[in-house]
Amino acid sequence: MSWWELAKRHKGKIIAGGAIIGGAVALSMNMNQKRVESPQEESGLQARRHYVFDANQSACDESIRELAPSVFRMIQTRFNVESITRQLQEGNLSTEKKIELWNELKITVMGRLVAVAHALSLLTLTLKAQISILAADIVTITSGATKNNGWWSWAPASMSALVGGKGEMSADEKRRNDTARQVFLRSIEFFTQTGVLELAEVVDDVVKRELQEVRLDEMRDSDEVLALLNSLSAKVAAETGSLSAYVAPIDKDDTSRDSVTLLLRRLILLLDGDQCRETNGRLVQFFLSASTRCPRVRLMPNERRILKYTTYLAACAPEALVYGNCVSQQAESIKQGACGKEFEKLFECVQKQQTRLKRAARILSVYRYNFGVTPPYQVIIDGTYAHAALKEKLNLAEQLPKYLGAPVEIHTTKCCLDELTKLGSPLYGALCVAKAQLVADCPHNPPRGAGDCLSHLARRAKKDKKKKKFIFATQDPTLQDKLRAIGGIPILYIAYKTVLLDPVSEATKTEMETEKGELETIRELKKELLGEEPEKKKRKKKGVNPLSCKKKVMKKSGVKPVEGTKTANGKRRRRKKGGETGGAGGGGGEEKMETMSLLMPSPSAPSAPAPAQMGGLDFLPSVCLSTTLTHTCSALLLIPSHTMVDAPPIVVCGKENGETVIFSTDFNQRFGKSEACTSPITAIAYGRATNQTGSELVTISADGQLTLFKVIEGATLSLQPTFHQLMQANITAAVIADVDRDGLMELIVIMTDRVVRTFQWCTESNRFLPRNKWEVPSHIAGVSIGESATRQYEAWLSQAGSRQYVAIRFSGDHSVTVCDSRMDAATIFMPYRADYVRTFGSLVTGIVVHVNQKERRLRMIGGDIIGLGTVRLPSKVVVITVDVNGLCLVYAYNERNIKKMDIDPLMRMTVLKDTFHMALIGTPAAIYVTVATTRGRLANYSIPMDTIDHRFSRFNT
Ligand SMILES: [Zn+2]
């Protein structure tokens, strides 16, 4: 087993273990302590104490779940195993360097394991210790009083959500709460920011020293590894000194007696006590043995799954407590298989949770996708539901967001409240629960029965698309039936002591069918109104290249195609060569690299003097790749190379025959290719598609086969397929971006049938799931995606043959706006901060950037634009256009110049004629432009960033 695998396999277990074991061990420890202290307390108080500790147990595990990932990530960064493995994979290393890296790797892997174990157990202990101090306080404070849960408010969201009490506090209690909050925050902040790193330093020192002579590659037995880890850990424990130093550093000479310091002292006393040190030792040991021996190591291969997993765990507190108690009893001599029965029970519970939450996500996605029910979810509860929640002791504010997997706002109506009030004392508790919620508007005066009221709201939401989409929570079977019959209404109920979503009803399913029918009708209507677009029909004919039948003569636009003797020579030679290779290639030849000089475009010839305002525009880019493909390119993308800083990019080209090929552009002439799909590759995207740390390549073929690839750069380039999924056919473009700003990437696809969809990687189901869908009135001629002036993330779709464009807002209300423009029909519209822009085989005669409701043109864009791209730099946005004659223009703008005027080109150069695809990328050193022609030629050009900066500042002073 490699060390890297070891680390990767066990990180999940370590965190999950932290939540269970830590919770149980420390809790039982503290409870025993309390009992010994006051054996003769009255039974009521004891019951109350049990309740408080019980409540704390679950809240505390939640906090550990919240804080553990950030602590884990800090250690991950501090002990950067990934960067070393990356270096090792890169090849071209001398033997000495390799040995050095392997040594570094062994220290880093072991250091990470030991540090994680220590940090997480210390975090657990700290939280438990604080909780026990505060909980003991509550019991003391409230032993006489009837109720007070005010102190919850200082805790992290998860803790205060537990009670959700809005009870009034006296001034004295408030002050106490504030003090407690300060202590809590101060120490946890200190630990997560400074303490962890100090702890990591100690670990690093110890591991470096101890492992100097140890040859890890000879150690294959997990027992040996565990023994080594334990001995390292014991040394770390000996050198860490007092635990409190990492959590609550306090000046020993500080004798102040303010309440904050006093509370801190209590915390320190507890942490540095023998019991805590011993518990810490056991915890660390458990983590380490779990990391080498646990039979279920493959449960959590990545971090996101761990987070999910800890959520499931949090719902299995009773089982965790049983397992934890068992483990804590045997902690000193824990062996493989110990507490196996308890573990099975816990594991079963966790699996049940997982199934339950997956089912919820599946049902919700139906409503989200088809009926616009989006987070934050608006749940509306009636009296029956409030009553059931109370009976089953379910805290709705805590349970619903967990179950629905998103923030939730809980409402009721005044009709429901009225009904509960009328029913009187048997339902007094339910009334209290309902009263704690928001009151949704309903028009009933005088109030109606709750069933009538809610079904009215459901029908109203159905008719008026603008009304809030509620999820209805009720135990009333009559109302449930009514809601099911309406269709498109999600229903929540309580059964088996838990909240559940009703399966998608028959009416809802029928509804989904008709919904599609309606879209069809709208499409027909729009076709009638806007007329058939001839271009669309033409594009349907497969194999016909619109460019070959629409070769336009350059307009007298001030920019002339550059012709000169040199160019003519170059072109003749190029064509001849291209023709030959192309012919051979048809028979299945390999891609060949060609001498660079052949493709050198020539600068403007003196015989064709440029107009005065275009003077000094010409630029000669360097060519860093030129080749002829065996089959025509059908999708093109440039992706960053990681071989070195500022490395030239990698060209990714999807071809008509379904292959994807990649080329290096660093003169090493490396290339690689994938297995062929059954139909042409039509879309390529690159990014963190599955939200893992590394970027992945996504290709989609015309018949909807999506493939994920890892791009491996070594002595050769290769594409390693990692995943397949069948998507919709006719996808013409794909982009990976976090468009709704939820921290997770979306895959946005544009389809030929005027539809834009977003997908998101779902870790549980291990595939891309649909998120949203928009349909636009007519054929999409071009698309740009980026930030609007208000920093909204939007897609702008230019509509072929009309002066309209459609703006889709990805976040917030997901609205679609159809806008009119004064520009002519073949215009592409872009938001000011465009991250992505391209055309779809349509010839464009205008490009317009939107800035504060103003439309700014890019001037003199040349002939018919076929290729278009942007690079967003920190200080400006660069737009590059290519027309059918190979004239390539570079524009740049920033907030200052675009507010003043339309934008003139910065430079002009010549690239391959008959370009059909174009891609751009920016590195700190240069902007790279790759073009692919209708004849299968491919070339990559670079423009130094210096030149762009220099010209930009010259033009704009
Ligand atoms: Zn009402």
Side-chain angles (χ1 to χ4, degrees):
M1 171 169 48
S2 85
W3 296 98
W4 165 225
E5 267 170 19
L6 181 77
K8 218 163 70 175
R9 277 169 54 184
H10 300 305
K11 65 182 181 184
K13 193 63 203 176
I14 294 171
I15 290 184
I20 331 167
I21 314 303
V25 173
L27 181 77
S28 58
M29 171 187 95
N30 284 313
M31 284 191 74
N32 291 337
Q33 195 180 17
K34 286 289 154 220
R35 284 207 193 112
V36 174
E37 269 173 15
S38 47
Q40 72 279 46
E41 69 192 11
E42 39 186 302
S43 65
L45 185 58
Q46 200 163 19
R48 170 151 195 88
R49 181 165 292 169
H50 276 285
Y51 169 74
V52 171
F53 278 120
D54 259 5
N56 283 331
Q57 141 91 1
S58 117
C60 189
D61 285 349
E62 278 289 284
S63 299
I64 294 168
R65 192 177 64 85
E66 278 175 18
L67 291 165
S70 75
V71 168
F72 181 75
R73 266 193 293 277
M74 276 183 90
I75 294 175
Q76 217 176 8
T77 322
R78 172 65 182 72
F79 295 95
N80 198 338
V81 174
E82 290 78 4
S83 102
I84 302 172
T85 39
R86 209 176 304 130
Q87 285 178 56
L88 275 169
Q89 278 166 3
E90 267 162 18
N92 296 337
L93 294 173
S94 65
T95 319
E96 291 83 40
K97 180 73 185 165
K98 268 188 188 159
I99 291 172
E100 190 188 309
L101 281 174
W102 276 111
N103 270 322
E104 216 176 299
L105 186 66
K106 109 190 147 183
I107 289 165
T108 319
V109 169
M110 296 303 263
R112 188 190 270 193
L113 276 169
V114 175
V116 165
H118 277 265
L120 289 182
S121 59
L122 191 48
L123 174 73
T124 310
L125 271 184
T126 308
L127 285 168
K128 294 288 170 183
Q130 286 179 330
I131 289 287
S132 87
I133 291 174
L134 291 158
D137 272 9
I138 298 172
V139 177
T140 326
I141 297 165
T142 61
S143 49
T146 45
K147 59 159 190 172
N148 170 30
N149 291 314
W151 69 272
W152 302 95
S153 56
W154 56 261
S158 58
M159 290 205 195
S160 39
L162 189 78
V163 166
K166 293 165 192 166
E168 291 295 305
M169 280 187 283
S170 72
D172 188 46
E173 284 164 344
K174 249 188 197 129
R175 196 164 35 76
R176 241 196 133 80
N177 282 334
D178 284 346
T179 313
R181 185 193 287 136
Q182 276 184 51
V183 175
F184 181 87
L185 291 179
R186 199 192 265 189
S187 54
I188 287 300
E189 238 177 64
F190 180 82
F191 178 66
T192 53
Q193 288 169 11
T194 316
V196 170
L197 291 180
E198 284 178 8
L199 189 66
E201 283 313 307
V202 177
V203 173
D204 197 37
D205 281 351
V206 170
V207 174
K208 265 192 190 130
R209 195 177 59 227
E210 298 295 320
L211 290 187
Q212 209 58 278
E213 303 304 320
V214 182
R215 282 191 54 110
L216 288 179
D217 46 344
E218 285 171 0
M219 224 179 227
R220 298 197 180 274
D221 183 349
S222 67
D223 282 340
E224 281 180 355
V225 176
L226 180 60
L228 181 67
L229 280 171
N230 276 332
S231 89
L232 284 174
S233 170
K235 295 215 165 73
V236 169
E239 286 184 33
T240 42
S242 80
L243 296 179
S244 63
Y246 304 95
V247 178
I250 198 167
D251 193 350
K252 292 268 184 280
D253 304 325
D254 186 358
T255 51
S256 43
R257 303 198 47 84
D258 62 287
S259 44
V260 174
T261 320
L262 286 178
L263 264 175
L264 265 183
R265 283 191 192 287
R266 275 172 72 186
L267 178 64
I268 292 168
L269 216 65
L270 195 54
L271 277 178
D272 289 345
D274 287 344
Q275 224 174 352
C276 254
R277 284 199 74 89
E278 200 193 306
T279 313
N280 189 47
R282 286 183 199 171
L283 275 177
V284 171
Q285 218 177 14
F286 178 83
F287 288 148
L288 292 176
S289 58
S291 76
T292 49
R293 292 189 192 204
C294 177
R296 302 224 182 232
V297 285
R298 292 222 186 134
L299 278 175
M300 297 145 282
N302 74 41
E303 226 175 274
R304 273 185 50 72
R305 272 189 208 173
I306 298 158
L307 292 180
K308 287 271 160 64
Y309 197 71
T310 43
T311 316
Y312 306 146
L313 267 177
C316 297
E319 288 83 358
L321 187 65
V322 173
Y323 176 53
N325 277 333
C326 171
V327 171
S328 70
Q329 277 155 23
Q330 313 181 26
E332 274 136 311
S333 56
I334 191 95
K335 287 196 187 83
Q336 185 164 10
C339 302
K341 230 192 284 164
E342 288 80 359
F343 184 85
E344 283 306 320
K345 279 238 171 74
L346 174 62
F347 188 67
E348 208 177 284
C349 169
V350 166
Q351 273 182 323
K352 255 191 212 144
Q353 293 304 321
Q354 196 174 5
T355 329
R356 176 173 159 256
L357 294 185
K358 267 187 183 171
R359 179 180 166 274
R362 201 174 52 235
I363 297 176
L364 268 182
S365 78
V366 169
Y367 292 105
R368 197 172 172 175
Y369 185 50
N370 295 291
F371 301 97
V373 181
T374 50
Y377 293 118
Q378 309 296 318
V379 172
I380 195 157
I381 66 168
D382 70 354
T384 59
Y385 197 81
H387 180 66
L390 194 71
K391 208 173 90 198
E392 302 293 354
K393 298 191 189 65
L394 293 172
N395 180 333
L396 295 179
E398 187 200 33
Q399 293 295 322
L400 289 178
K402 255 194 212 164
Y403 180 59
L404 301 176
V408 168
E409 283 170 13
I410 308 176
H411 307 254
T412 187
T413 67
K414 59 179 190 303
C415 300
C416 295
L417 290 173
D418 182 72
E419 195 180 74
L420 281 170
T421 318
K422 279 183 188 149
L423 289 169
S425 59
L427 291 172
Y428 179 72
L431 178 63
C432 292
V433 172
K435 268 189 175 163
Q437 319 303 340
L438 304 162
V439 178
D441 275 342
C442 77
H444 309 125
N445 200 7
R448 289 199 208 166
D452 275 357
C453 175
L454 295 196
S455 53
H456 172 88
L457 287 186
R459 280 192 302 270
R460 191 178 69 172
K462 194 61 185 299
K463 265 187 231 146
D464 189 343
K465 302 274 183 220
K466 279 180 200 144
K467 293 281 181 207
K468 264 186 190 164
K469 305 287 179 205
F470 285 112
I471 298 176
F472 290 83
T474 178
Q475 301 291 100
D476 173 1
T478 329
L479 176 57
Q480 285 175 352
D481 281 344
K482 272 189 201 164
L483 294 173
R484 284 188 198 113
I486 294 172
I489 308 286
I491 306 165
L492 276 167
Y493 62 97
I494 290 172
Y496 315 109
K497 297 185 185 303
T498 183
V499 292
L500 287 170
L501 270 170
D502 198 46
V504 177
S505 73
E506 285 309 314
T508 308
K509 285 178 193 157
T510 331
E511 185 91 1
M512 280 154 65
E513 298 296 314
T514 25
E515 195 88 331
K516 265 177 213 147
E518 272 169 24
L519 280 178
E520 221 40 69
T521 336
I522 293 170
R523 200 181 292 167
E524 295 301 329
L525 273 173
K526 278 183 179 148
K527 211 176 260 173
E528 258 178 53
L529 283 173
L530 299 166
E532 292 283 329
E533 299 102 36
E535 197 172 0
K536 198 187 167 199
K537 281 208 157 167
K538 198 167 83 191
R539 278 176 52 76
K540 272 185 179 168
K541 269 186 254 165
K542 228 187 159 182
V544 176
N545 165 24
L547 290 181
S548 58
C549 37
K550 196 180 177 183
K551 209 169 269 180
K552 280 205 171 177
V553 182
M554 274 293 257
K555 283 178 196 159
K556 283 184 184 168
S557 58
V559 185
K560 285 200 167 182
V562 183
E563 289 289 341
T565 35
K566 261 184 180 166
T567 323
N569 282 341
K571 273 181 185 160
R572 256 198 305 278
R573 282 175 66 190
R574 190 199 318 162
R575 280 212 188 114
K576 196 174 151 202
K577 178 111 187 179
E580 278 167 13
T581 333
E590 275 304 323
E591 268 79 14
K592 270 186 209 151
M593 296 291 178
E594 193 178 297
T595 15
M596 302 303 162
S597 59
L598 284 179
L599 256 179
M600 261 335 190
S602 82
S604 170
S607 60
Q613 75 268 35
M614 295 291 279
L617 273 190
D618 290 317
F619 174 73
L620 185 67
S622 37
V623 182
C624 35
L625 169 77
S626 157
T627 185
T628 303
L629 304 165
T630 50
H631 293 80
T632 317
C633 171
S634 53
L636 190 64
L637 189 74
L638 284 172
I639 63 171
S641 159
H642 297 292
T643 45
M644 53 178 183
V645 187
D646 287 357
I650 294 171
V651 176
V652 185
C653 173
K655 300 196 296 180
E656 292 282 2
N657 67 341
E659 270 181 349
T660 305
V661 283
I662 52 175
F663 301 97
S664 70
T665 55
D666 57 5
F667 294 100
N668 284 334
Q669 305 206 349
R670 295 173 299 168
F671 77 95
K673 66 178 175 183
S674 73
E675 295 283 315
C677 286
T678 45
S679 69
I681 302 295
T682 49
I684 308 178
Y686 184 72
R688 290 171 43 241
T690 59
N691 297 302
Q692 314 257 13
T693 37
S695 289
E696 289 160 287
L697 191 70
V698 178
T699 66
I700 305 173
S701 68
D703 58 2
Q705 300 170 60
L706 177 146
T707 313
L708 273 182
F709 291 101
K710 272 213 172 71
V711 178
I712 297 167
E713 292 184 74
T716 59
L717 283 178
S718 63
L719 283 172
Q720 186 183 41
T722 56
F723 174 75
H724 289 281
Q725 184 176 337
L726 193 64
M727 315 283 276
Q728 286 82 355
N730 303 325
I731 292 174
T732 51
V735 184
I736 296 165
D738 179 13
V739 290
D740 59 9
R741 301 283 158 89
D742 62 355
L744 298 175
M745 291 295 168
E746 277 82 32
L747 175 71
I748 307 119
V749 301
I750 318 276
M751 314 189 47
T752 46
D753 54 0
R754 314 168 189 170
V755 172
V756 177
R757 290 173 190 268
T758 58
F759 293 86
Q760 192 168 65
W761 180 257
C762 171
T763 317
E764 286 97 343
S765 50
N766 226 19
R767 58 195 284 111
F768 290 97
L769 292 183
R771 297 287 294 245
N772 278 301
K773 178 188 167 188
W774 296 268
E775 194 166 359
V776 299
S778 56
H779 172 66
I780 301 167
V783 64
S784 63
I785 298 177
E787 278 179 338
S788 70
T790 54
R791 297 263 171 195
Q792 289 259 21
Y793 220 78
E794 295 181 337
W796 298 48
L797 306 165
S798 302
Q799 300 282 280
S802 85
R803 285 162 192 245
Q804 289 181 320
Y805 61 95
V806 178
I808 294 177
R809 210 152 289 140
F810 286 117
S811 48
D813 54 0
H814 303 288
S815 65
V816 175
T817 331
V818 179
C819 314
D820 289 304
S821 164
R822 59 190 168 85
M823 301 300 168
D824 47 2
T827 301
I828 294 277
F829 295 89
M830 302 165 43
Y832 167 70
R833 296 177 191 86
D835 283 324
Y836 175 87
V837 57
R838 67 165 282 185
T839 61
F840 292 109
S842 307
L843 299 177
V844 174
T845 52
I847 297 165
V848 165
V849 182
H850 263 248
V851 173
N852 299 340
Q853 270 115 47
K854 280 198 202 94
E855 295 183 338
R856 289 286 182 225
R857 265 175 178 284
L858 300 189
R859 277 207 279 232
M860 297 173 278
I861 59 170
D864 289 322
I865 300 297
I866 186 69
L868 177 61
T870 56
V871 175
R872 227 172 109 176
L873 303 174
S875 61
K876 54 188 167 284
V877 180
V878 174
V879 180
I880 301 185
T881 65
V882 175
D883 73 6
V884 288
N885 293 301
L887 175 74
C888 176
L889 293 168
V890 181
Y891 297 83
Y893 60 83
N894 63 10
E895 233 154 324
R896 239 178 319 143
N897 72 348
I898 200 156
K899 271 185 189 149
K900 278 187 252 161
M901 60 207 170
D902 288 349
I903 302 299
D904 284 317
L906 275 191
M907 48 180 81
R908 170 177 68 181
M909 55 200 209
T910 319
V911 296
L912 293 178
K913 223 179 145 184
D914 289 343
T915 288
F916 194 56
H917 288 281
M918 174 208 191
L920 296 185
I921 197 172
T923 72
I927 289 181
Y928 293 85
V929 183
T930 297
V931 296
T933 72
T934 49
R935 294 153 185 254
R937 302 279 305 150
L938 184 92
N940 180 48
Y941 306 85
S942 75
I943 313 165
M945 207 57 97
D946 295 352
T947 317
I948 294 172
D949 286 342
H950 180 72
R951 292 204 181 191
F952 184 71
S953 56
R954 204 181 68 199
F955 270 70
N956 292 290
T957 43

